Amino acid sequence: MGSTYPQIHLVRHGETAWSLSGQHTGRTDMKLTPVGETAARGVAERLKGLSFSAVWSSPSQRAYNTSVLAGFGAQSVKKDDLQEWDYGAYEGLTTKQILAERPGWNVFRDGCPQGETATDVAARAGRIIAGLREANADMLVFSSAHFLRVLAARWIGLPPQGGALLVLDTASISVLGYEHDLSEPVVRKWNQQ
């Protein structure tokens, strides 16, 4: 079922060496692997026939290059607020490594020492949502998993911790939108491959 209301397409960047190994990649500027580049090119086919009033990207090369390889580089505007979660002291570590030192840790609940909390990420997501709602048009956004999960949670009125319930694979496409009117934001599609 289509929608007469604006739809926001979210694209998680293609595979990187650290997304493949499960290492937390916040502000480390990783390039796409060859597999990630191929998947990013595949996003173009999956978005074929759609038009967007604007295309926004995280400034990270993994997100921006995904937008370029998907055919949206000429339109893509880098937005600092779309950066991935700042993992601080946990940058480059896997969840297993973190849990060995801090049992029970959850990024959405506990945040990261010397990095961001869920509230910090939610503040950035809130500014992006305000811009999307102000545009009131079909938009395309390229970013990273944890940030996009918080963005989606906030879009539908959940606290940022609600992002823990939403998993995103690399090069996945999700769609945010509305149901009956602009006062009813919903997740229309999630983690499409």
Side-chain angles (χ1 to χ4, degrees):
M1 182 171 89
S3 174
T4 58
Y5 298 107
Q7 294 192 34
I8 313 305
H9 283 69
L10 307 177
V11 179
R12 181 183 175 198
H13 62 76
E15 177 189 274
T16 68
W18 282 11
S19 68
L20 183 60
S21 66
Q23 292 170 266
H24 285 79
T25 317
R27 302 302 162 85
T28 302
D29 206 12
M30 303 289 295
K31 65 181 183 175
L32 298 173
T33 64
V35 168
E37 290 175 353
T38 299
R41 285 185 196 94
V43 168
E45 184 62 31
R46 293 160 52 212
L47 295 176
K48 190 175 182 176
L50 299 176
S51 62
F52 302 99
S53 293
V55 179
W56 294 350
S57 175
S58 163
S60 72
Q61 67 173 318
R62 61 191 181 272
Y64 184 74
N65 288 346
T66 298
S67 79
V68 170
L69 292 168
F72 295 95
Q75 295 173 262
S76 196
V77 175
K78 294 178 182 178
K79 299 267 186 184
D80 285 342
D81 279 336
L82 288 171
Q83 292 183 86
E84 177 60 300
W85 200 303
D86 182 348
Y87 298 117
Y90 294 160
E91 183 77 6
L93 300 179
T94 64
T95 299
K96 183 178 179 179
Q97 290 172 314
I98 298 165
L99 290 172
E101 292 185 20
R102 190 171 171 189
W105 173 80
N106 179 289
V107 70
F108 293 96
R109 181 187 60 234
D110 305 316
C112 301
Q114 302 159 30
E116 289 183 303
T117 65
T119 302
D120 297 329
V121 178
R124 293 193 288 113
R127 291 190 294 269
I128 292 296
I129 289 169
L132 294 169
R133 290 199 169 130
E134 183 180 327
N136 196 31
D138 290 345
M139 306 277 281
L140 179 59
V141 175
F142 291 84
S143 189
S144 298
H146 282 150
F147 178 81
L148 290 174
R149 291 166 68 179
V150 170
L151 177 73
R154 297 303 302 133
W155 179 266
I156 58 175
L158 295 176
Q161 293 79 7
L165 305 173
L166 304 168
V167 173
L168 278 177
D169 296 321
T170 55
S172 62
I173 300 173
S174 301
V175 182
L176 305 178
Y178 301 91
E179 189 168 13
H180 299 106
D181 59 45
L182 296 177
S183 71
E184 294 183 16
V186 296
V187 174
R188 298 191 64 81
K189 296 179 184 178
W190 193 254
N191 200 33
Q192 302 289 298
Q193 291 295 319

